[in-house]
Amino acid sequence: MRLISEQRLDDGVLERELTLGEIPVTLWTPGPAPAPLILMAHNNGLPKNDARLVARARYTATEHGYAVASIDAAGCGDRPRSPADEQARADLSRAVRAGQPVDELLEALVGPLVVGAVPDWRAALDALRVLPEVGGPVGYCGWAALGIRLAVVEPSIAALGLFAGGYVPRAQREEARRVAAPLLLLLQWDDEGNPRERALDLFDAFGSSEKTLHANPGGHLGTPRFELEDTCRFLDRHLRAGR
């Protein structure tokens, strides 16, 4: 892993830009002591430097003392997209403008995106875990489809905070039955692009013995600020038990 830049932010958090091969990584650490690591991914491959993700990451590091990492995986953020990916995005845009059904187009776009992103996230996790500022359990927050897949293939993930605001492919809906880690699922009741019945069915499918659903009125971008605080308290329960 190669350091590109670092800066000490006003809140005391150290923000570092790194690369691991072709994978851009941002790491926020609250101090030199080892801290549990939170992997934070934006829905459906939006960039790691999105303002909302950065704000959540800095809060999680500053107020709760976690190391937080985000990456641009294959096909995400500014990473190159395959011709098939570009075609899937173009087809989806046309269908949305025309008011046509989009589920199969989302399946064609998001399914391969999840499969392609998982190896990059696992490689980043392996590289980050050897840093002296990272130690203890690993949590995951954000993009639900990716979190499901990671939790199935990466046993070190001890808790999941997922946002039910993006399309979850059929393969991940089935894989949710194999997820055993404690789960907090956030649902916006009036999310324009995510039928609540589908989100409720997904919650029911999770195999986790401890799972909690938080539902709030409002659209996709209306998640209340307090849900970030509640998510961090959820992580505290499962990543800092006995500490």
Side-chain angles (χ1 to χ4, degrees):
M1 187 172 285
R2 186 163 62 93
L3 177 66
I4 302 301
S5 66
E6 66 178 22
Q7 60 174 328
R8 182 72 63 180
L9 304 175
D10 292 342
D11 52 20
V13 167
L14 182 64
E15 179 183 84
R16 278 173 281 185
E17 297 294 338
L18 310 125
T19 58
L20 177 64
E22 297 180 351
I23 308 169
V25 181
T26 303
L27 176 66
W28 296 268
T29 50
L37 176 66
I38 306 299
L39 305 178
M40 193 168 286
H42 218 323
N43 266 7
N44 295 348
L46 290 174
K48 65 182 179 62
N49 61 356
D50 180 90
R52 289 171 295 162
L53 186 148
V54 171
R56 291 197 301 270
R58 289 182 59 174
Y59 173 88
T60 304
T62 304
E63 300 298 328
H64 288 262
Y66 290 105
V68 184
S70 189
I71 75 170
D72 281 341
C76 301
D78 295 327
R79 295 280 299 278
R81 297 170 179 170
S82 68
D85 188 18
E86 293 286 11
Q87 185 62 55
R89 291 175 186 273
D91 292 343
L92 177 61
S93 294
R94 281 194 295 270
V96 170
R97 289 195 300 270
Q100 297 172 344
V102 297
D103 277 9
E104 291 306 315
L105 297 173
L106 283 167
E107 192 76 28
L109 173 63
V110 181
L113 199 60
V114 170
V115 171
V118 165
D120 285 357
W121 277 95
R122 296 190 76 187
L125 174 58
D126 287 343
L128 291 166
R129 279 192 289 204
V130 304
L131 297 178
E133 302 93 331
V134 175
V138 177
Y140 173 93
C141 287
W143 183 9
L146 175 65
I148 293 168
R149 181 71 186 136
L150 273 176
V152 168
V153 301
E154 184 51 66
S156 65
I157 294 179
L160 294 164
L162 304 182
F163 178 53
Y167 183 80
V168 177
R170 286 186 287 268
Q172 276 66 65
R173 285 179 240 162
E174 285 299 315
E175 284 184 318
R177 304 180 190 283
R178 298 166 53 194
V179 173
L183 165 74
L184 174 62
L185 184 67
L186 301 181
L187 167 63
Q188 283 304 102
W189 201 246
D190 308 299
D191 195 323
E192 306 87 350
N194 185 41
R196 69 180 68 136
E197 293 81 5
R198 181 180 294 165
L200 294 173
D201 287 345
L202 176 66
F203 178 74
D204 189 52
F206 275 100
S208 307
S209 59
E210 181 180 333
K211 55 184 180 180
T212 301
L213 175 70
H214 285 190
N216 292 282
H220 185 78
L221 299 179
T223 304
R225 168 75 179 182
F226 64 73
E227 287 292 2
L228 176 56
E229 301 165 7
D230 285 355
T231 297
C232 286
R233 285 195 289 267
F234 162 80
L235 294 171
D236 289 344
R237 286 200 303 275
H238 297 288
L239 303 186
R240 296 186 184 278
R243 296 188 173 213

